[in-house]
Amino acid sequence: MGSLRMRIVSFFFYVFLFCFASSGAWSEHLIIKDENAFITAVKDKTLKRPLIRLEVTEDGNITGRAAMLSVTGNWTWENSYFCRDLFWGSRNLGYNCQQVSLSGKKIRFTSDKGEGDFADFTVK
C-alpha cells in the first residue's frame, strides 16, 4: 500500500512540476549590468504592479504612486547596480543598491545588491 501511495504522490508532484515549469514561472531573468541597457528597458515606460505605478527617468528621477501615496526619489548606476534613495509619502525608504534583471516584459529589482527581497514589475 505504501508503494502505491508513493506512486500517486510522485505522479501529482510531476504533474504540478510540469504545469509550473510550462507556465513560464521559471523563465530566466537576465541580469542587467550596464546603465544604458537599464535606461533602454525603462525609458518612457511605466513600471507596474498591484497598487504601484512608477516612472524611472534617464536623468535620475523616480516618480509615481503606491497605495495612494506619492513615490519620489533619485537613482544612480553604481558598479552594475541600480542605487536609489526613495520616499513613499513622507516615509524615507532609504538608500539601497539593487540588482536589476529582465525577463520579457518583467523587470525585477532585488535589494541589497541581489541578496535581499525582490519586486517584479511589468514594463508598459
Side-chain angles (χ1 to χ4, degrees), residues 4 8 12 15 24-25 38 42 49 78 82 106:
L4 178 59
I8 291 171
F12 283 109
V15 167
F38 173 73
V42 300
R49 59 182 284 143
E78 300 174 19
F82 169 83
K106 298 285 185 187

Side-chain angles (χ1 to χ4, degrees), residues 38-47 53-64 71 73-77 82-84 86 98 100 107 109 121:
F38 173 73
I39 290 170
T40 298
V42 300
K43 184 177 179 181
D44 299 323
K45 300 200 173 73
T46 301
L47 308 182
R53 303 283 186 268
L54 299 175
E55 292 182 10
V56 179
T57 63
E58 66 182 307
D59 63 353
N61 291 309
I62 303 168
T63 58
V71 175
N74 298 299
W75 70 272
T76 57
W77 194 263
F82 169 83
C83 298
R84 57 87 175 138
L86 202 60
Q98 304 178 354
V100 181
I107 192 165
F109 294 86
F121 291 83

Side-chain angles (χ1 to χ4, degrees), residues 6-17:
M6 286 303 295
R7 282 190 216 152
I8 291 171
V9 169
S10 293
F11 172 77
F12 283 109
F13 171 78
Y14 286 113
V15 167
F16 170 77
L17 185 62

Side-chain angles (χ1 to χ4, degrees), residues 13 33 38 41 50 91 105 111:
F13 171 78
K33 294 189 177 205
F38 173 73
R91 184 176 176 195
K105 294 283 185 182
S111 66

Side-chain angles (χ1 to χ4, degrees), residues 47 49-54 63-72 86-89 93 121:
L47 308 182
R49 59 182 284 143
L51 301 176
I52 301 173
R53 303 283 186 268
L54 299 175
T63 58
R65 297 198 62 80
M68 301 188 307
L69 295 174
S70 65
V71 175
T72 58
L86 202 60
F87 285 85
W88 177 43
L93 299 180
F121 291 83

Side-chain angles (χ1 to χ4, degrees), residues 12-29:
F12 283 109
F13 171 78
Y14 286 113
V15 167
F16 170 77
L17 185 62
F18 174 77
C19 290
F20 187 72
S22 65
S23 72
W26 285 351
S27 61
E28 184 177 348
H29 280 79

